[in-house]
Amino acid sequence: MSAIGIVANPASGKDVRRLVARASVFDNREKCAIIRRALTGAVNAGADKFVYLDDSHNIAGGALDELDVEVEATCIPNAGTNSALDTLRGAEALKGKCDAVLILGGDGTSRAFVKGWRTANLLPLSTGTNNVFPRLSEATVAGAAIGILAAGGVTEEEVMQPVKIIDVEIEGEAPDIALIDAVVTNDMFIGSRALLDGAAISRIFLTRAEPMAVGMTSVGGLMQPLPEEEDAGLSLELGKGGRKKIHAPIAPGLYDTLRVRSCKPVGFGETISFEGPCVLAFDGEREREVQAGQKVTMSISRTGPAVLNIEKAMQLAACRGWFS
């Protein structure tokens, strides 16, 4: 029996886009309820060992306390920075203590976790603003799927799917990553982290381009859809002079019109290179300032995490009589 890791980000689903774009709010009481349902599913699928990252609102710990069955639960202390560093450090601490991790948050939460544990087996559930990487699933069923994996009803090879990742090399600085989009803006300073002004965007590099999503992935998706299964990324150059106009939802409830100068696929092994000054945004949030003349290189591969296929895990378990 392997352990299930649990990470719940108390800050996800609460940023400025609730004011500007009227995005949904996920309060911590609801997050605790989601974790509780996922735990119920996992326990009823046979799981009984959990390792959870402590958080400022006791989301995961509170959900475990409310279980009506006895399980083995280990708490990992929080770094206490009240930033994405808590998730990154938590991922480093969870590494080797569990075989799969349930994450509550948005794209940014998953990215912070992967920065700390790049090759983790993940089940990310949506409670953030940009929810392209996390899965939209009822927590009870999602919990059952990861519980089946932990209890040995299915194997990693059967249900874990490696996903694409963008590697970002910045001259003279630490590298970075993105799971969905790496965006270049013509800003000089980070300022507000949310990407809310399409006119400031000069480049978008995507692991997937989805017309049914919001955020930067929708810009590519409404032009040239690119699924997660295809071994390639999509590179867009934007700005004045762009002949193509795309009217896209760049945030929940917020559309903008962007001028696209070029849109082309980028294969594994290819690179995108450019120089500053600019600001880099990853998975929906501005993160890094690049100085004038400083070189940046981006590439895409499947050398990052794997994500649990909930439907496949449940189908295999049903066919094997796991719940009989």
Side-chain angles (χ1 to χ4, degrees), residues 128-305:
T129 305
N130 284 12
N131 293 295
V132 183
F133 187 81
R135 277 25 182 183
L136 292 169
S137 174
E138 162 51 35
T140 311
V141 177
I146 198 170
I148 294 164
L149 176 65
V154 294
T155 66
E156 292 182 13
E157 292 75 18
E158 289 175 320
V159 298
M160 299 305 306
Q161 299 178 330
V163 295
K164 292 181 280 189
I165 189 170
I166 296 172
D167 280 293
V168 183
E169 300 289 338
I170 304 172
E171 183 180 17
E173 297 184 17
D176 221 316
I177 62 165
L179 298 173
I180 300 297
D181 55 76
V183 175
V184 183
T185 76
N186 54 27
D187 301 302
M188 298 300 293
F189 306 100
I190 290 175
S192 171
R193 291 189 177 275
L195 289 170
L196 300 172
D197 181 11
I201 298 172
S202 60
R203 291 176 180 264
I204 303 174
F205 190 24
L206 302 169
T207 60
R208 62 180 89 165
E210 300 191 2
M212 294 182 64
V214 298
M216 295 300 107
T217 189
S218 72
V219 181
L222 294 172
M223 289 190 65
Q224 188 173 326
L226 177 74
E228 165 61 35
E229 295 75 22
E230 188 170 337
D231 286 345
L234 193 68
S235 174
L236 296 88
E237 294 188 22
L238 294 81
K240 294 180 180 179
R243 296 183 179 181
K244 183 72 173 180
K245 289 184 180 180
I246 292 295
H247 195 55
I250 63 172
L254 179 65
Y255 273 78
D256 202 350
T257 302
L258 298 86
R259 289 184 172 272
V260 180
R261 295 161 54 191
S262 68
C263 177
K264 61 182 181 179
V266 177
F268 289 4
E270 297 183 53
T271 59
I272 295 174
S273 300
F274 54 90
E275 296 183 358
C278 62
V279 167
L280 302 179
F282 305 124
D283 295 328
E285 295 186 346
R286 294 181 176 87
E287 292 281 347
R288 305 285 291 269
E289 295 175 2
V290 179
Q291 305 306 312
Q294 197 171 11
K295 297 179 180 179
V296 180
T297 301
M298 298 183 183
S299 59
I300 187 169
S301 66
R302 288 193 191 275
T303 59

Side-chain angles (χ1 to χ4, degrees), residues 7-10 53-56 76-94 112-113:
V7 175
N9 181 5
L53 177 63
D54 193 17
D55 63 80
S56 58
I76 300 296
N78 194 296
T81 67
N82 293 317
S83 70
L85 191 60
D86 290 346
T87 303
L88 190 156
R89 294 286 181 251
E92 293 174 338
L94 282 168
F113 189 92

Side-chain angles (χ1 to χ4, degrees), residues 8 12-14 27 37 39 57-58 81 98-99 106 110 114 139 142 145 151 168-169 205 210 278 280 298:
S12 68
K14 297 179 181 178
D27 64 29
R37 296 199 301 274
L39 288 171
H57 289 72
N58 195 35
T81 67
C98 54
D99 291 333
S110 292
V114 173
V168 183
E169 300 289 338
F205 190 24
E210 300 191 2
C278 62
L280 302 179
M298 298 183 183

